[in-house]
Amino acid sequence: MQAKYILKYILNGVEQCSEGMENEHYTITADKGDGTLNVTITPKTYLELKTLTVEFPYEFGENDAFFAGGYQSWTKTREYKRDDIQRRSIKLADMSELTSTMAKLTGDEWFVEYSEKPGEFISHCYTYVKNENGICLLGSIDEKQGFTYFKVKMRENVFTINKDLEGKTISQPITPIKMVYLQGDYEDVFDKYFAHFPASKHKDELMVGYTSWYNYFQKIDEDIILRDLDGLDFAQDKVSIFQIDDGYETFVGDWTDDNPKYFPHGMKYIADKIHEKGYKAGIWLAPFNCQRVSKIAKEHPDWLVRKANGHKMLGCIAWGGAYTLDIYNPEVREHLKKVFDTVLNVWGFDMVKLDFLYSECIIPRENKSRGEIMCEAMEFLRECCGDKLILGCSVPLGTSFGIVDACRISCDVDLNYSGQFYSRMQVSNEMLSARSAINNSIFRRHLNGRVFMNDPDVFFLRNDNLKFTEEQKLLLAKINNLCGNVLFISDNAGFYDENQRNLLLKYFTKTDEKIIAADYIDKDVIRLKVQDGSQIKTLTFNLEKGKVLKGYKA
């Protein structure tokens, strides 16, 4: 295999792009072992890096499928064939800097360019090519120098390994690419790949229970939480965890301020009530974010990540906009340690769901690349949480391996099965809908039980405050049960009728069935082959409509 090595870097303020293993500024060495590739850059002078690319020919078969793994938890992930097109954020967003930033904020377009041409695809951290003989997997085993992404042009038989090194400066050798190549059966290949990463000791466990978000959103209070807690009593033998989501805090970022209007007895009281039921208590935080109007943003403007022009960086557009705390500020680190100590040790919560984590690494800084920042941020969160459970969300997945106990593998669902109009327009690749969540859960199923518990997001059984058909509700519940070990609802189960109670008990029990094959057989039609003991079943459904076309009912 003849490969080309291309390094982009900045020297004396001028961007350079050089092809080859050596010039007057650097030497590249490639150590190729049995199924491994390690690429080292040795600088001959002080270099500010941009990207390292390894390009090589790869002969794609007519019916090969390429796995395009999304950048972070929410990002669209699926297999594509040579006539398919992988979309970027909506082009209408390019009308202004503001709309472009809003569309790109949650994704990878800060450092990746999508061609939107048939057969040209991008995958993050790892990828595979699937044919009738199995899969050929290429995967990074180290993201600590920068994010890895793969680009292919299937019609031109070109494959590239890319390393985002923007912001990283070096005067000593580094090995940014540490890669494995594996070929064989789907399950066997993923067993071998993920054996390279430390795994949570809880990876094979189940989190079964409740989260408050998808019924009330931020409009929660003590009475609602305790009512819904009591509503699960009939399923007490199945439930293991009850999680409070956004809305308990005064403002995002002011996590430990008293909120007597809505939680007069405080959050320790809520955790104690959850424990009385025999459940673990979970709580949501966006640890790196603070709302524009929050006390912390007003009192500590020096704690915030800044853009090159000195302006505060928005990490997300939720809550009217939220800034990002800079973990390289020692005061921020001490502050966050105190927050986690209060939540976990004073209030007594057993699990934290940590959200909007991608925001920490949007801007390279401190002579570090985005991937380096994200890896260090995740390691810091684990340090803060000790041995308590972490459910990661909206995190670049490769940086979560070996850190979190469970992780979201899909976008948020929505109260409308197909999402809101802007979701259907694909403003970005992170838009929320049950339709998109089902897709992601299926094509990331291989993560479950290997490095962490998969969280496919919630399913619904209620009838109110929801725009789902009964078939859509059951399809979502079935896919969640097949692909994940985090099985949550957001319903007040105390309002369930007998049929809904029986369904909850069914879907709160992890199935022995296993997806052994998943394929798009038409634009919106997915066919699953599911092994149930010695029997192979087929489930074919229209993803857009959430309607089963052929096979057993969910």
Side-chain angles (χ1 to χ4, degrees):
M1 179 177 69
Q2 187 63 40
K4 290 195 299 187
Y5 293 80
I6 304 163
L7 184 65
K8 291 183 180 180
Y9 58 99
I10 297 173
L11 184 66
N12 299 323
V14 179
E15 184 168 324
Q16 313 275 337
C17 180
S18 180
E19 181 182 322
M21 304 296 283
E22 187 171 13
N23 68 13
E24 66 271 29
H25 303 141
Y26 66 84
T27 299
I28 291 175
T29 54
D31 180 13
K32 301 172 186 176
D34 183 14
T36 64
L37 173 65
N38 295 325
V39 180
T40 299
I41 305 170
T42 301
K44 298 177 181 179
T45 185
Y46 187 81
L47 296 180
E48 181 181 342
L49 303 177
K50 294 282 286 186
T51 58
L52 173 62
T53 298
V54 183
E55 180 182 305
F56 55 91
Y58 187 100
E59 191 168 340
F60 290 96
E62 191 68 29
N63 296 312
D64 283 0
F66 176 83
F67 172 80
Y71 167 60
Q72 54 119 316
S73 307
W74 300 337
T75 312
K76 188 174 184 178
T77 294
R78 56 164 288 185
E79 293 173 359
Y80 290 97
K81 293 192 174 180
R82 63 191 303 129
D83 292 332
D84 294 328
I85 294 175
Q86 186 180 27
R87 299 293 184 186
R88 49 157 284 188
S89 59
I90 190 170
K91 291 181 180 178
L92 281 174
D94 293 340
M95 69 179 73
S96 72
E97 182 180 356
L98 176 62
T99 55
S100 178
T101 297
M102 291 173 65
K104 293 178 180 179
L105 197 58
T106 57
D108 59 3
E109 291 181 57
W110 303 108
F111 60 98
V112 170
E113 185 175 345
Y114 289 83
S115 73
E116 296 193 306
K117 294 179 180 178
E120 298 190 8
F121 310 117
I122 295 168
S123 185
H124 286 270
C125 189
Y126 65 94
T127 188
Y128 61 79
V129 179
K130 184 176 78 175
N131 58 35
E132 63 274 9
N133 298 318
I135 66 172
C136 300
L137 179 143
L138 268 174
S140 169
I141 57 173
D142 188 353
E143 296 290 88
K144 290 183 179 178
Q145 299 291 347
F147 288 129
T148 306
Y149 60 98
F150 304 88
K151 299 181 81 169
V152 295
K153 296 181 179 180
M154 295 182 75
R155 294 182 172 194
E156 299 175 27
N157 292 317
V158 174
F159 204 124
T160 65
I161 304 165
N162 306 272
K163 203 75 178 181
D164 169 43
L165 301 171
E166 183 181 352
K168 187 167 186 63
T169 55
I170 61 169
S171 58
Q172 299 293 324
I174 63 167
T175 304
I177 292 179
K178 296 180 181 179
M179 192 75 48
V180 294
Y181 172 81
L182 298 164
Q183 189 169 1
D185 171 77
Y186 185 94
E187 298 294 335
D188 182 53
V189 164
F190 277 113
D191 283 342
K192 290 177 179 175
Y193 175 55
F194 288 115
H196 288 276
F197 299 93
S200 165
K201 64 182 179 181
H202 304 286
K203 65 184 176 63
D204 296 319
E205 296 178 6
L206 290 175
M207 283 189 190
V208 177
Y210 169 96
T211 179
S212 57
W213 181 248
Y214 293 102
N215 204 354
Y216 316 107
F217 300 100
Q218 284 191 306
K219 296 179 180 179
I220 56 173
D221 59 30
E222 187 176 287
D223 291 340
I224 288 172
I225 294 301
L226 296 181
R227 182 199 66 193
D228 284 11
L229 178 63
D230 288 340
L232 283 169
D233 283 353
F234 73 92
Q236 200 160 6
D237 290 343
K238 300 289 186 183
V239 174
S240 63
I241 194 160
F242 189 94
Q243 183 223 310
I244 315 303
D245 214 281
D246 190 8
Y248 67 90
E249 75 282 4
T250 53
F251 295 105
V252 168
D254 300 335
W255 305 111
T256 58
D257 285 3
D258 291 335
N259 193 358
K261 180 178 179 180
Y262 297 107
F263 288 89
H265 293 92
M267 298 312 295
K268 184 181 185 304
Y269 174 80
I270 297 294
D272 289 344
K273 287 294 184 181
I274 295 169
H275 290 148
E276 286 175 11
K277 298 288 187 180
Y279 310 149
K280 288 185 172 68
I283 196 165
W284 173 93
L285 298 96
F288 300 142
N289 302 111
C290 56
Q291 213 167 334
R292 284 177 171 179
V293 295
S294 65
K295 182 171 70 176
I296 195 169
K298 293 176 180 177
E299 294 181 356
H300 299 283
D302 55 315
W303 287 9
L304 307 178
V305 175
R306 303 272 175 167
K307 295 185 285 188
N309 61 10
H311 294 169
K312 301 169 190 172
M313 187 199 77
L314 278 184
C316 49
I317 60 174
W319 320 292
Y323 301 125
T324 302
L325 297 172
D326 188 351
I327 61 161
Y328 296 110
N329 183 317
E331 292 182 358
V332 168
R333 295 174 81 89
E334 285 305 308
H335 163 73
L336 289 175
K337 286 177 182 178
K338 289 177 183 177
V339 167
F340 281 107
D341 181 61
T342 298
V343 169
L344 297 171
N345 300 320
V346 178
W347 294 351
F349 281 87
D350 310 287
M351 181 272 276
V352 283
K353 176 183 174 182
L354 305 181
D355 210 348
F356 294 91
L357 300 181
Y358 69 85
S359 60
E360 187 63 42
C361 70
I362 292 172
I363 296 179
R365 58 195 189 277
E366 302 290 331
N367 293 332
K368 299 175 188 288
S369 68
R370 294 178 181 87
E372 192 171 5
I373 292 168
M374 198 69 247
C375 285
E376 292 179 356
M378 295 304 293
E379 289 168 354
F380 173 67
L381 291 177
R382 175 45 77 189
E383 177 189 341
C384 290
C385 295
D387 60 358
K388 297 282 188 170
L389 292 168
I390 297 177
L391 168 55
C393 190
S394 59
V395 59
L397 287 184
T399 64
S400 72
F401 298 162
I403 302 292
V404 303
D405 302 290
C407 195
R408 177 72 71 76
I409 54 163
S410 75
C411 60
D412 283 18
V413 298
D414 188 82
L415 300 188
N416 184 322
Y417 172 81
S418 294
Q420 305 302 315
F421 74 93
Y422 46 83
S423 297
R424 295 190 287 273
M425 290 170 62
Q426 192 174 315
V427 173
S428 76
N429 280 312
E430 290 78 36
M431 286 291 96
L432 58 165
S433 72
R435 175 195 64 193
S436 296
I438 287 172
N439 167 85
N440 274 27
S441 296
I442 290 169
F443 289 103
R444 280 177 166 162
R445 67 190 184 278
H446 50 257
L447 292 164
N448 195 41
R450 287 193 167 96
V451 282
F452 47 55
M453 295 176 269
N454 276 9
D455 174 15
D457 209 15
V458 305
F459 64 94
F460 304 102
L461 296 173
R462 68 177 187 258
N463 297 322
D464 61 307
N465 193 27
L466 196 68
K467 292 183 179 179
F468 276 59
T469 67
E470 286 302 308
E471 190 170 18
Q472 288 167 346
K473 286 190 275 188
L474 295 181
L475 178 63
L476 178 61
K478 181 65 179 179
I479 296 301
N480 283 17
N481 194 285
L482 280 168
C483 299
N485 274 19
V486 179
L487 305 172
F488 278 2
I489 59 165
S490 278
D491 302 347
N492 175 12
F495 288 169
Y496 281 176
D497 61 26
E498 184 177 358
N499 180 57
Q500 289 168 319
R501 289 185 175 210
N502 289 334
L503 286 170
L504 185 67
L505 295 174
K506 174 184 177 180
Y507 292 116
F508 269 4
T509 304
K510 181 65 178 175
T511 183
D512 291 328
E513 298 173 330
K514 185 175 185 178
I515 297 173
I516 58 172
D519 296 279
Y520 272 92
I521 60 172
D522 203 349
K523 180 184 176 184
D524 295 312
V525 178
I526 295 177
R527 180 177 61 206
L528 303 179
K529 289 185 179 179
V530 180
Q531 186 165 8
D532 185 6
S534 60
Q535 185 181 6
I536 304 296
K537 302 176 180 179
T538 300
L539 176 62
T540 306
F541 59 93
N542 184 299
L543 180 64
E544 176 70 24
K545 297 178 180 178
K547 184 174 181 61
V548 174
L549 305 176
K550 186 178 181 181
Y552 69 101
K553 295 289 185 181

